[in-house]
Amino acid sequence: MNSSIAVVADVDTVTGFKLGGIKEGHVVETSQEAEETLGNIIKEKDVSIIIITEKIGDEIRDFIDRFTKSNTLPMIIEIPDKSGPSDRAVDPMGDLIKRVIGVEMVK
Amino acid sequence: MAQEMIEGINPTRMELLKLKDREKLAVKGYSLLKEKRNALIMEFFNILERVKGSRENVEEKLKEAFEDLTAAQVIMGDLAVKKAALSVKESVNVDIDSRSIMGVVVPVVESSTSPERTVVERGYGFVDTSVKLDEAAKKFEESIALIIELGEIEKTIILLAGEIESTKRRVNALEHIIIPRLENTVKYIEMRLEEMERENFVRLKMIKKSMEME
């Protein structure tokens, strides 16, 4: 199945990924906007990977969790924006691994 | 020790046979599920090995990319960078496939990125762009490839984790609740039946005795 990638992020990240060759970049400012944009992208079937920034991810965590639980595709990948990786209170991956294995793994 | 049993069961032979069948099935299902759980966890550890450095790589690469981008913005101006970005040709084309790990369908991404694009292939003009822009573009291309890989691994982990959790819950439910409950019920019925037999025996003896007395 052929498909494409979309970026939903702040202005600089979108510019950067456009330089890298991803055509579909959506600049969002508020969390409400981000949710709407993500919803629209998900409705279009030919996008299989959505890149969002960690900041946006934290803001709409519920929305993303709800979506990733029920769907396999598109996958949503969170990346740090230009201010670098944010120190998160909860690391979603580490949390998940801990819950499944029962012990903290060195990541 | 009063143990939990299945409610509303009549102590008859019919029920006993049925329950024994159910118990056999539950034990079989339990051992199968246990195997499934172990296999899933092994698979999970394999993937954990892969995820270890992956996120750090992405973060590192992106940091470099953003540094170059900022430099380009400083040299050329924000607007010019945006203009150049708009004319970049699409480079990434992903091919999503899926494979199954113990019944869990996980995505496999084949990305046909053209990682080593030359400056000409990107599609913006040279006259008003800086070298830093080329660097930034190259680094972003590289980070996209890394991000796609990371995405695949993380998605696989999430899916596997979900499956492991539900399998674990089932295994535990069978091991600690359903099988003991069935066992207790079987034991109860067997005891009741034996008791009834003894009662009957005694009753017959009594009848015989009273008949002899007459």
Side-chain angles (χ1 to χ4, degrees), chain A residues 1-3 12 16 18 20-21 23 48 54 71-72 75 77-78 97 99-101, chain B residues 44 48 55 73 86 88 90-91 94-96 109 140-141 147 151 155 161 165 168:
Chain A
M1 194 175 89
N2 259 323
S3 49
D12 283 320
K18 272 195 178 149
K23 282 280 100 171
S48 58
E54 281 173 357
N71 300 57
T72 314
M75 42 182 140
I77 309 172
E78 289 173 41
I97 292 167
R99 215 172 54 221
V100 169
I101 305 298
Chain B
F44 194 73
L48 277 189
R55 182 150 272 277
Q73 278 169 341
L86 276 178
V88 173
E90 180 138 29
S91 70
V94 286
D95 195 8
I96 298 267
V109 183
F140 269 109
E141 277 163 19
I147 288 169
K155 189 80 207 184
E165 271 194 324
K168 241 183 182 173

PDB file of all heavy atoms in Angstrom, chain A residues 1-3 12 16 18 20-21 23 48 54 71-72 75 77-78 97 99-101, chain B residues 44 48 55 73 86 88 90-91 94-96 109 140-141 147 151 155 161 165 168:
ATOM      1  N   MET A   1       0.843  -1.191   0.000  1.00  0.00           N
ATOM      2  CA  MET A   1       0.000   0.000   0.000  1.00  0.00           C
ATOM      3  C   MET A   1       0.879   1.242   0.000  1.00  0.00           C
ATOM      4  O   MET A   1       1.703   1.420   0.881  1.00  0.00           O
ATOM      5  CB  MET A   1      -0.878  -0.010   1.258  1.00  0.00           C
ATOM      6  CG  MET A   1      -1.989   0.970   1.207  1.00  0.00           C
ATOM      7  SD  MET A   1      -3.019   0.777   2.664  1.00  0.00           S
ATOM      8  CE  MET A   1      -2.234   1.873   3.818  1.00  0.00           C
ATOM      9  N   ASN A   2       0.700   2.038  -0.986  1.00  0.00           N
ATOM     10  CA  ASN A   2       1.486   3.251  -1.052  1.00  0.00           C
ATOM     11  C   ASN A   2       0.801   4.379  -0.324  1.00  0.00           C
ATOM     12  O   ASN A   2      -0.401   4.552  -0.420  1.00  0.00           O
ATOM     13  CB  ASN A   2       1.695   3.667  -2.509  1.00  0.00           C
ATOM     14  CG  ASN A   2       3.070   3.267  -2.973  1.00  0.00           C
ATOM     15  OD1 ASN A   2       4.023   3.334  -2.194  1.00  0.00           O
ATOM     16  ND2 ASN A   2       3.171   2.855  -4.216  1.00  0.00           N
ATOM     17  N   SER A   3       1.576   5.146   0.406  1.00  0.00           N
ATOM     18  CA  SER A   3       0.950   6.228   1.126  1.00  0.00           C
ATOM     19  C   SER A   3       1.990   7.292   1.429  1.00  0.00           C
ATOM     20  O   SER A   3       3.164   7.152   1.100  1.00  0.00           O
ATOM     21  CB  SER A   3       0.343   5.710   2.414  1.00  0.00           C
ATOM     22  OG  SER A   3       1.308   4.943   3.083  1.00  0.00           O
ATOM     23  N   ASP A  12       8.285  26.298  12.286  1.00  0.00           N
ATOM     24  CA  ASP A  12       9.657  25.956  11.928  1.00  0.00           C
ATOM     25  C   ASP A  12       9.814  24.477  11.605  1.00  0.00           C
ATOM     26  O   ASP A  12      10.519  24.115  10.662  1.00  0.00           O
ATOM     27  CB  ASP A  12      10.603  26.334  13.079  1.00  0.00           C
ATOM     28  CG  ASP A  12      10.855  27.828  13.113  1.00  0.00           C
ATOM     29  OD1 ASP A  12      11.000  28.403  12.017  1.00  0.00           O
ATOM     30  OD2 ASP A  12      10.869  28.409  14.207  1.00  0.00           O
ATOM     31  N   GLY A  16      11.080  22.869   8.128  1.00  0.00           N
ATOM     32  CA  GLY A  16      12.187  21.927   8.082  1.00  0.00           C
ATOM     33  C   GLY A  16      11.831  20.658   7.346  1.00  0.00           C
ATOM     34  O   GLY A  16      12.569  20.208   6.469  1.00  0.00           O
ATOM     35  N   LYS A  18       9.479  20.255   5.236  1.00  0.00           N
ATOM     36  CA  LYS A  18       9.230  20.536   3.820  1.00  0.00           C
ATOM     37  C   LYS A  18      10.551  20.522   3.069  1.00  0.00           C
ATOM     38  O   LYS A  18      10.641  20.015   1.949  1.00  0.00           O
ATOM     39  CB  LYS A  18       8.541  21.887   3.667  1.00  0.00           C
ATOM     40  CG  LYS A  18       7.035  21.751   3.750  1.00  0.00           C
ATOM     41  CD  LYS A  18       6.333  22.977   3.238  1.00  0.00           C
ATOM     42  CE  LYS A  18       4.839  22.765   3.309  1.00  0.00           C
ATOM     43  NZ  LYS A  18       4.121  24.006   3.537  1.00  0.00           N
ATOM     44  N   GLY A  20      12.991  18.745   3.868  1.00  0.00           N
ATOM     45  CA  GLY A  20      13.368  17.343   3.791  1.00  0.00           C
ATOM     46  C   GLY A  20      12.557  16.565   2.779  1.00  0.00           C
ATOM     47  O   GLY A  20      12.877  15.426   2.488  1.00  0.00           O
ATOM     48  N   GLY A  21      11.513  17.164   2.266  1.00  0.00           N
ATOM     49  CA  GLY A  21      10.793  16.512   1.190  1.00  0.00           C
ATOM     50  C   GLY A  21       9.442  15.952   1.559  1.00  0.00           C
ATOM     51  O   GLY A  21       8.925  15.063   0.894  1.00  0.00           O
ATOM     52  N   LYS A  23       5.645  16.879   1.603  1.00  0.00           N
ATOM     53  CA  LYS A  23       4.828  17.942   1.036  1.00  0.00           C
ATOM     54  C   LYS A  23       3.713  18.382   1.966  1.00  0.00           C
ATOM     55  O   LYS A  23       3.321  19.535   1.985  1.00  0.00           O
ATOM     56  CB  LYS A  23       4.227  17.486  -0.301  1.00  0.00           C
ATOM     57  CG  LYS A  23       5.174  17.529  -1.468  1.00  0.00           C
ATOM     58  CD  LYS A  23       5.333  18.914  -2.036  1.00  0.00           C
ATOM     59  CE  LYS A  23       6.606  19.574  -1.535  1.00  0.00           C
ATOM     60  NZ  LYS A  23       6.928  20.820  -2.183  1.00  0.00           N
ATOM     61  N   SER A  48      -0.244   7.582   6.003  1.00  0.00           N
ATOM     62  CA  SER A  48      -0.059   6.478   6.942  1.00  0.00           C
ATOM     63  C   SER A  48       0.848   6.827   8.108  1.00  0.00           C
ATOM     64  O   SER A  48       0.896   6.129   9.102  1.00  0.00           O
ATOM     65  CB  SER A  48       0.483   5.249   6.228  1.00  0.00           C
ATOM     66  OG  SER A  48       1.693   5.577   5.610  1.00  0.00           O
ATOM     67  N   GLU A  54       6.328  16.889  20.179  1.00  0.00           N
ATOM     68  CA  GLU A  54       6.000  16.409  21.523  1.00  0.00           C
ATOM     69  C   GLU A  54       5.092  17.387  22.255  1.00  0.00           C
ATOM     70  O   GLU A  54       4.227  16.998  23.033  1.00  0.00           O
ATOM     71  CB  GLU A  54       7.297  16.209  22.321  1.00  0.00           C
ATOM     72  CG  GLU A  54       8.005  14.915  21.955  1.00  0.00           C
ATOM     73  CD  GLU A  54       9.364  14.780  22.607  1.00  0.00           C
ATOM     74  OE1 GLU A  54       9.780  15.712  23.304  1.00  0.00           O
ATOM     75  OE2 GLU A  54      10.007  13.739  22.394  1.00  0.00           O
ATOM     76  N   ASN A  71      -6.898   2.150  16.401  1.00  0.00           N
ATOM     77  CA  ASN A  71      -6.479   2.022  15.009  1.00  0.00           C
ATOM     78  C   ASN A  71      -4.996   1.671  14.900  1.00  0.00           C
ATOM     79  O   ASN A  71      -4.193   2.089  15.714  1.00  0.00           O
ATOM     80  CB  ASN A  71      -6.700   3.334  14.251  1.00  0.00           C
ATOM     81  CG  ASN A  71      -8.143   3.741  14.260  1.00  0.00           C
ATOM     82  OD1 ASN A  71      -8.747   3.900  15.303  1.00  0.00           O
ATOM     83  ND2 ASN A  71      -8.699   3.901  13.092  1.00  0.00           N
ATOM     84  N   THR A  72      -4.687   0.926  13.847  1.00  0.00           N
ATOM     85  CA  THR A  72      -3.280   0.628  13.601  1.00  0.00           C
ATOM     86  C   THR A  72      -2.649   1.745  12.772  1.00  0.00           C
ATOM     87  O   THR A  72      -1.556   2.199  13.052  1.00  0.00           O
ATOM     88  CB  THR A  72      -3.151  -0.696  12.851  1.00  0.00           C
ATOM     89  OG1 THR A  72      -3.998  -1.644  13.468  1.00  0.00           O
ATOM     90  CG2 THR A  72      -1.731  -1.180  12.872  1.00  0.00           C
ATOM     91  N   MET A  75       0.035   5.770  11.802  1.00  0.00           N
ATOM     92  CA  MET A  75       0.747   5.846  13.077  1.00  0.00           C
ATOM     93  C   MET A  75       1.183   7.283  13.348  1.00  0.00           C
ATOM     94  O   MET A  75       1.543   8.027  12.444  1.00  0.00           O
ATOM     95  CB  MET A  75       1.937   4.916  13.101  1.00  0.00           C
ATOM     96  CG  MET A  75       2.775   4.853  11.871  1.00  0.00           C
ATOM     97  SD  MET A  75       4.083   3.643  12.162  1.00  0.00           S
ATOM     98  CE  MET A  75       4.187   2.810  10.633  1.00  0.00           C
ATOM     99  N   ILE A  77       3.731   9.714  15.187  1.00  0.00           N
ATOM    100  CA  ILE A  77       5.066   9.719  15.780  1.00  0.00           C
ATOM    101  C   ILE A  77       5.319  11.090  16.390  1.00  0.00           C
ATOM    102  O   ILE A  77       5.094  12.117  15.757  1.00  0.00           O
ATOM    103  CB  ILE A  77       6.134   9.424  14.724  1.00  0.00           C
ATOM    104  CG1 ILE A  77       5.777   8.169  13.937  1.00  0.00           C
ATOM    105  CG2 ILE A  77       7.494   9.249  15.384  1.00  0.00           C
ATOM    106  CD1 ILE A  77       6.687   7.932  12.773  1.00  0.00           C
ATOM    107  N   GLU A  78       5.778  11.083  17.623  1.00  0.00           N
ATOM    108  CA  GLU A  78       6.076  12.356  18.276  1.00  0.00           C
ATOM    109  C   GLU A  78       7.576  12.607  18.253  1.00  0.00           C
ATOM    110  O   GLU A  78       8.369  11.740  18.595  1.00  0.00           O
ATOM    111  CB  GLU A  78       5.581  12.318  19.722  1.00  0.00           C
ATOM    112  CG  GLU A  78       4.083  12.355  19.808  1.00  0.00           C
ATOM    113  CD  GLU A  78       3.584  12.143  21.215  1.00  0.00           C
ATOM    114  OE1 GLU A  78       4.187  12.693  22.136  1.00  0.00           O
ATOM    115  OE2 GLU A  78       2.602  11.408  21.356  1.00  0.00           O
ATOM    116  N   ILE A  97       6.248   0.095  28.754  1.00  0.00           N
ATOM    117  CA  ILE A  97       7.143  -1.047  28.910  1.00  0.00           C
ATOM    118  C   ILE A  97       7.139  -1.517  30.362  1.00  0.00           C
ATOM    119  O   ILE A  97       7.067  -2.705  30.648  1.00  0.00           O
ATOM    120  CB  ILE A  97       8.563  -0.669  28.465  1.00  0.00           C
ATOM    121  CG1 ILE A  97       8.574  -0.445  26.946  1.00  0.00           C
ATOM    122  CG2 ILE A  97       9.556  -1.752  28.830  1.00  0.00           C
ATOM    123  CD1 ILE A  97       9.810   0.218  26.434  1.00  0.00           C
ATOM    124  N   ARG A  99       4.764  -1.221  32.482  1.00  0.00           N
ATOM    125  CA  ARG A  99       3.506  -1.866  32.814  1.00  0.00           C
ATOM    126  C   ARG A  99       3.476  -3.299  32.301  1.00  0.00           C
ATOM    127  O   ARG A  99       2.949  -4.194  32.948  1.00  0.00           O
ATOM    128  CB  ARG A  99       2.355  -1.062  32.213  1.00  0.00           C
ATOM    129  CG  ARG A  99       1.139  -1.071  33.082  1.00  0.00           C
ATOM    130  CD  ARG A  99       0.085  -0.122  32.578  1.00  0.00           C
ATOM    131  NE  ARG A  99      -0.248  -0.363  31.206  1.00  0.00           N
ATOM    132  CZ  ARG A  99      -0.454   0.604  30.308  1.00  0.00           C
ATOM    133  NH1 ARG A  99      -0.345   1.855  30.649  1.00  0.00           N
ATOM    134  NH2 ARG A  99      -0.772   0.323  29.074  1.00  0.00           N
ATOM    135  N   VAL A 100       4.037  -3.507  31.117  1.00  0.00           N
ATOM    136  CA  VAL A 100       3.954  -4.828  30.510  1.00  0.00           C
ATOM    137  C   VAL A 100       4.932  -5.802  31.147  1.00  0.00           C
ATOM    138  O   VAL A 100       4.586  -6.916  31.505  1.00  0.00           O
ATOM    139  CB  VAL A 100       4.214  -4.733  28.988  1.00  0.00           C
ATOM    140  CG1 VAL A 100       4.388  -6.106  28.400  1.00  0.00           C
ATOM    141  CG2 VAL A 100       3.077  -4.010  28.322  1.00  0.00           C
ATOM    142  N   ILE A 101       6.164  -5.371  31.307  1.00  0.00           N
ATOM    143  CA  ILE A 101       7.185  -6.280  31.801  1.00  0.00           C
ATOM    144  C   ILE A 101       7.143  -6.360  33.317  1.00  0.00           C
ATOM    145  O   ILE A 101       7.484  -7.376  33.899  1.00  0.00           O
ATOM    146  CB  ILE A 101       8.585  -5.825  31.331  1.00  0.00           C
ATOM    147  CG1 ILE A 101       8.595  -5.679  29.806  1.00  0.00           C
ATOM    148  CG2 ILE A 101       9.650  -6.805  31.745  1.00  0.00           C
ATOM    149  CD1 ILE A 101       8.330  -6.947  29.046  1.00  0.00           C
TER     150      ILE A 101
ATOM    151  N   PHE B  44       8.709  -9.260  22.249  1.00  0.00           N
ATOM    152  CA  PHE B  44       8.751  -7.902  22.808  1.00  0.00           C
ATOM    153  C   PHE B  44      10.183  -7.517  23.189  1.00  0.00           C
ATOM    154  O   PHE B  44      10.644  -6.420  22.886  1.00  0.00           O
ATOM    155  CB  PHE B  44       7.851  -7.869  24.049  1.00  0.00           C
ATOM    156  CG  PHE B  44       7.524  -6.498  24.550  1.00  0.00           C
ATOM    157  CD1 PHE B  44       6.646  -5.698  23.850  1.00  0.00           C
ATOM    158  CD2 PHE B  44       8.082  -6.018  25.716  1.00  0.00           C
ATOM    159  CE1 PHE B  44       6.334  -4.432  24.313  1.00  0.00           C
ATOM    160  CE2 PHE B  44       7.778  -4.765  26.182  1.00  0.00           C
ATOM    161  CZ  PHE B  44       6.895  -3.970  25.470  1.00  0.00           C
ATOM    162  N   LEU B  48      12.554  -4.508  21.878  1.00  0.00           N
ATOM    163  CA  LEU B  48      13.125  -3.546  22.825  1.00  0.00           C
ATOM    164  C   LEU B  48      14.597  -3.298  22.529  1.00  0.00           C
ATOM    165  O   LEU B  48      15.103  -2.195  22.674  1.00  0.00           O
ATOM    166  CB  LEU B  48      12.976  -4.063  24.253  1.00  0.00           C
ATOM    167  CG  LEU B  48      11.641  -3.811  24.924  1.00  0.00           C
ATOM    168  CD1 LEU B  48      11.727  -4.186  26.384  1.00  0.00           C
ATOM    169  CD2 LEU B  48      11.258  -2.360  24.794  1.00  0.00           C
ATOM    170  N   ARG B  55      15.462   6.234  19.480  1.00  0.00           N
ATOM    171  CA  ARG B  55      14.914   7.545  19.794  1.00  0.00           C
ATOM    172  C   ARG B  55      16.036   8.577  19.980  1.00  0.00           C
ATOM    173  O   ARG B  55      15.927   9.712  19.519  1.00  0.00           O
ATOM    174  CB  ARG B  55      14.024   7.463  21.048  1.00  0.00           C
ATOM    175  CG  ARG B  55      13.383   8.767  21.425  1.00  0.00           C
ATOM    176  CD  ARG B  55      12.056   8.599  22.097  1.00  0.00           C
ATOM    177  NE  ARG B  55      10.908   8.531  21.200  1.00  0.00           N
ATOM    178  CZ  ARG B  55      10.293   9.589  20.690  1.00  0.00           C
ATOM    179  NH1 ARG B  55      10.703  10.783  20.920  1.00  0.00           N
ATOM    180  NH2 ARG B  55       9.252   9.443  19.919  1.00  0.00           N
ATOM    181  N   GLN B  73      18.015  30.308   8.333  1.00  0.00           N
ATOM    182  CA  GLN B  73      17.037  31.386   8.511  1.00  0.00           C
ATOM    183  C   GLN B  73      17.734  32.695   8.835  1.00  0.00           C
ATOM    184  O   GLN B  73      17.315  33.763   8.392  1.00  0.00           O
ATOM    185  CB  GLN B  73      16.045  31.021   9.610  1.00  0.00           C
ATOM    186  CG  GLN B  73      14.938  30.111   9.118  1.00  0.00           C
ATOM    187  CD  GLN B  73      14.126  29.536  10.259  1.00  0.00           C
ATOM    188  OE1 GLN B  73      14.564  29.525  11.404  1.00  0.00           O
ATOM    189  NE2 GLN B  73      12.939  29.054   9.927  1.00  0.00           N
ATOM    190  N   LEU B  86       9.047  25.500   0.025  1.00  0.00           N
ATOM    191  CA  LEU B  86       7.841  25.227  -0.758  1.00  0.00           C
ATOM    192  C   LEU B  86       8.160  24.566  -2.082  1.00  0.00           C
ATOM    193  O   LEU B  86       7.350  23.826  -2.630  1.00  0.00           O
ATOM    194  CB  LEU B  86       7.072  26.522  -0.990  1.00  0.00           C
ATOM    195  CG  LEU B  86       6.146  26.944   0.146  1.00  0.00           C
ATOM    196  CD1 LEU B  86       5.498  28.267  -0.193  1.00  0.00           C
ATOM    197  CD2 LEU B  86       5.099  25.887   0.406  1.00  0.00           C
ATOM    198  N   VAL B  88      10.601  22.485  -2.724  1.00  0.00           N
ATOM    199  CA  VAL B  88      11.285  21.187  -2.648  1.00  0.00           C
ATOM    200  C   VAL B  88      10.364  20.092  -3.151  1.00  0.00           C
ATOM    201  O   VAL B  88       9.184  20.064  -2.821  1.00  0.00           O
ATOM    202  CB  VAL B  88      11.715  20.890  -1.200  1.00  0.00           C
ATOM    203  CG1 VAL B  88      12.266  19.487  -1.080  1.00  0.00           C
ATOM    204  CG2 VAL B  88      12.753  21.883  -0.742  1.00  0.00           C
ATOM    205  N   GLU B  90       8.823  16.368  -3.546  1.00  0.00           N
ATOM    206  CA  GLU B  90       8.534  15.303  -2.584  1.00  0.00           C
ATOM    207  C   GLU B  90       9.577  14.191  -2.702  1.00  0.00           C
ATOM    208  O   GLU B  90       9.939  13.764  -3.787  1.00  0.00           O
ATOM    209  CB  GLU B  90       7.142  14.719  -2.869  1.00  0.00           C
ATOM    210  CG  GLU B  90       6.772  13.620  -1.915  1.00  0.00           C
ATOM    211  CD  GLU B  90       5.324  13.724  -1.462  1.00  0.00           C
ATOM    212  OE1 GLU B  90       4.522  14.235  -2.247  1.00  0.00           O
ATOM    213  OE2 GLU B  90       5.028  13.309  -0.339  1.00  0.00           O
ATOM    214  N   SER B  91      10.086  13.769  -1.557  1.00  0.00           N
ATOM    215  CA  SER B  91      11.158  12.770  -1.615  1.00  0.00           C
ATOM    216  C   SER B  91      10.748  11.449  -0.996  1.00  0.00           C
ATOM    217  O   SER B  91      11.327  10.417  -1.279  1.00  0.00           O
ATOM    218  CB  SER B  91      12.390  13.280  -0.876  1.00  0.00           C
ATOM    219  OG  SER B  91      12.113  13.301   0.503  1.00  0.00           O
ATOM    220  N   VAL B  94       6.258   6.123   1.263  1.00  0.00           N
ATOM    221  CA  VAL B  94       6.306   4.965   2.147  1.00  0.00           C
ATOM    222  C   VAL B  94       5.344   3.893   1.689  1.00  0.00           C
ATOM    223  O   VAL B  94       4.275   4.167   1.152  1.00  0.00           O
ATOM    224  CB  VAL B  94       5.987   5.335   3.614  1.00  0.00           C
ATOM    225  CG1 VAL B  94       7.144   6.064   4.213  1.00  0.00           C
ATOM    226  CG2 VAL B  94       4.738   6.135   3.700  1.00  0.00           C
ATOM    227  N   ASP B  95       5.776   2.699   1.898  1.00  0.00           N
ATOM    228  CA  ASP B  95       4.987   1.545   1.501  1.00  0.00           C
ATOM    229  C   ASP B  95       4.683   0.773   2.773  1.00  0.00           C
ATOM    230  O   ASP B  95       5.588   0.252   3.417  1.00  0.00           O
ATOM    231  CB  ASP B  95       5.829   0.702   0.536  1.00  0.00           C
ATOM    232  CG  ASP B  95       4.970  -0.289  -0.194  1.00  0.00           C
ATOM    233  OD1 ASP B  95       3.742  -0.195  -0.044  1.00  0.00           O
ATOM    234  OD2 ASP B  95       5.521  -1.155  -0.886  1.00  0.00           O
ATOM    235  N   ILE B  96       3.420   0.755   3.137  1.00  0.00           N
ATOM    236  CA  ILE B  96       3.064   0.108   4.398  1.00  0.00           C
ATOM    237  C   ILE B  96       2.613  -1.321   4.135  1.00  0.00           C
ATOM    238  O   ILE B  96       1.748  -1.562   3.309  1.00  0.00           O
ATOM    239  CB  ILE B  96       1.936   0.870   5.111  1.00  0.00           C
ATOM    240  CG1 ILE B  96       2.387   2.266   5.457  1.00  0.00           C
ATOM    241  CG2 ILE B  96       1.479   0.102   6.334  1.00  0.00           C
ATOM    242  CD1 ILE B  96       2.947   2.404   6.815  1.00  0.00           C
ATOM    243  N   VAL B 109       7.099  -0.920   7.545  1.00  0.00           N
ATOM    244  CA  VAL B 109       7.181   0.220   6.645  1.00  0.00           C
ATOM    245  C   VAL B 109       8.364   0.049   5.717  1.00  0.00           C
ATOM    246  O   VAL B 109       9.492  -0.155   6.151  1.00  0.00           O
ATOM    247  CB  VAL B 109       7.349   1.533   7.436  1.00  0.00           C
ATOM    248  CG1 VAL B 109       7.353   2.707   6.486  1.00  0.00           C
ATOM    249  CG2 VAL B 109       6.248   1.674   8.439  1.00  0.00           C
ATOM    250  N   PHE B 140      17.434  16.942   7.408  1.00  0.00           N
ATOM    251  CA  PHE B 140      16.017  16.613   7.583  1.00  0.00           C
ATOM    252  C   PHE B 140      15.654  15.345   6.830  1.00  0.00           C
ATOM    253  O   PHE B 140      14.878  14.526   7.323  1.00  0.00           O
ATOM    254  CB  PHE B 140      15.134  17.780   7.142  1.00  0.00           C
ATOM    255  CG  PHE B 140      14.823  18.716   8.268  1.00  0.00           C
ATOM    256  CD1 PHE B 140      15.390  19.975   8.323  1.00  0.00           C
ATOM    257  CD2 PHE B 140      13.974  18.331   9.290  1.00  0.00           C
ATOM    258  CE1 PHE B 140      15.123  20.826   9.374  1.00  0.00           C
ATOM    259  CE2 PHE B 140      13.698  19.175  10.344  1.00  0.00           C
ATOM    260  CZ  PHE B 140      14.274  20.431  10.379  1.00  0.00           C
ATOM    261  N   GLU B 141      16.232  15.191   5.643  1.00  0.00           N
ATOM    262  CA  GLU B 141      15.976  13.950   4.897  1.00  0.00           C
ATOM    263  C   GLU B 141      16.421  12.747   5.701  1.00  0.00           C
ATOM    264  O   GLU B 141      15.712  11.740   5.802  1.00  0.00           O
ATOM    265  CB  GLU B 141      16.717  13.981   3.554  1.00  0.00           C
ATOM    266  CG  GLU B 141      15.968  14.728   2.483  1.00  0.00           C
ATOM    267  CD  GLU B 141      16.877  15.088   1.322  1.00  0.00           C
ATOM    268  OE1 GLU B 141      17.947  14.469   1.182  1.00  0.00           O
ATOM    269  OE2 GLU B 141      16.514  16.000   0.570  1.00  0.00           O
ATOM    270  N   ILE B 147      13.018   8.698  11.560  1.00  0.00           N
ATOM    271  CA  ILE B 147      11.722   8.828  12.230  1.00  0.00           C
ATOM    272  C   ILE B 147      10.771   7.728  11.784  1.00  0.00           C
ATOM    273  O   ILE B 147      10.047   7.144  12.589  1.00  0.00           O
ATOM    274  CB  ILE B 147      11.112  10.217  11.956  1.00  0.00           C
ATOM    275  CG1 ILE B 147      11.883  11.285  12.722  1.00  0.00           C
ATOM    276  CG2 ILE B 147       9.647  10.261  12.351  1.00  0.00           C
ATOM    277  CD1 ILE B 147      11.525  12.684  12.325  1.00  0.00           C
ATOM    278  N   GLY B 151       9.073   5.122  14.183  1.00  0.00           N
ATOM    279  CA  GLY B 151       7.619   4.995  14.232  1.00  0.00           C
ATOM    280  C   GLY B 151       7.188   3.553  14.123  1.00  0.00           C
ATOM    281  O   GLY B 151       6.319   3.094  14.862  1.00  0.00           O
ATOM    282  N   LYS B 155       5.294   1.704  17.162  1.00  0.00           N
ATOM    283  CA  LYS B 155       3.936   1.193  16.920  1.00  0.00           C
ATOM    284  C   LYS B 155       3.874  -0.295  17.239  1.00  0.00           C
ATOM    285  O   LYS B 155       2.928  -0.763  17.871  1.00  0.00           O
ATOM    286  CB  LYS B 155       3.564   1.439  15.457  1.00  0.00           C
ATOM    287  CG  LYS B 155       2.132   1.166  15.118  1.00  0.00           C
ATOM    288  CD  LYS B 155       1.267   2.314  15.532  1.00  0.00           C
ATOM    289  CE  LYS B 155      -0.126   1.801  15.819  1.00  0.00           C
ATOM    290  NZ  LYS B 155      -1.056   2.872  16.135  1.00  0.00           N
ATOM    291  N   ALA B 161       2.424  -4.660  23.237  1.00  0.00           N
ATOM    292  CA  ALA B 161       2.164  -4.447  24.656  1.00  0.00           C
ATOM    293  C   ALA B 161       0.685  -4.650  24.964  1.00  0.00           C
ATOM    294  O   ALA B 161       0.336  -5.298  25.952  1.00  0.00           O
ATOM    295  CB  ALA B 161       2.608  -3.056  25.072  1.00  0.00           C
ATOM    296  N   GLU B 165      -0.733  -7.533  27.415  1.00  0.00           N
ATOM    297  CA  GLU B 165      -1.550  -7.223  28.591  1.00  0.00           C
ATOM    298  C   GLU B 165      -2.822  -8.047  28.616  1.00  0.00           C
ATOM    299  O   GLU B 165      -3.182  -8.619  29.639  1.00  0.00           O
ATOM    300  CB  GLU B 165      -1.895  -5.734  28.608  1.00  0.00           C
ATOM    301  CG  GLU B 165      -0.861  -4.907  29.316  1.00  0.00           C
ATOM    302  CD  GLU B 165      -1.374  -3.516  29.614  1.00  0.00           C
ATOM    303  OE1 GLU B 165      -2.126  -2.987  28.759  1.00  0.00           O
ATOM    304  OE2 GLU B 165      -1.042  -2.977  30.660  1.00  0.00           O
ATOM    305  N   LYS B 168      -2.038 -11.699  29.265  1.00  0.00           N
ATOM    306  CA  LYS B 168      -1.678 -11.867  30.666  1.00  0.00           C
ATOM    307  C   LYS B 168      -2.926 -11.940  31.542  1.00  0.00           C
ATOM    308  O   LYS B 168      -3.045 -12.781  32.422  1.00  0.00           O
ATOM    309  CB  LYS B 168      -0.862 -10.660  31.105  1.00  0.00           C
ATOM    310  CG  LYS B 168       0.534 -10.959  31.572  1.00  0.00           C
ATOM    311  CD  LYS B 168       1.122  -9.652  32.019  1.00  0.00           C
ATOM    312  CE  LYS B 168       2.535  -9.754  32.462  1.00  0.00           C
ATOM    313  NZ  LYS B 168       3.079  -8.404  32.712  1.00  0.00           N
TER     314      LYS B 168
END
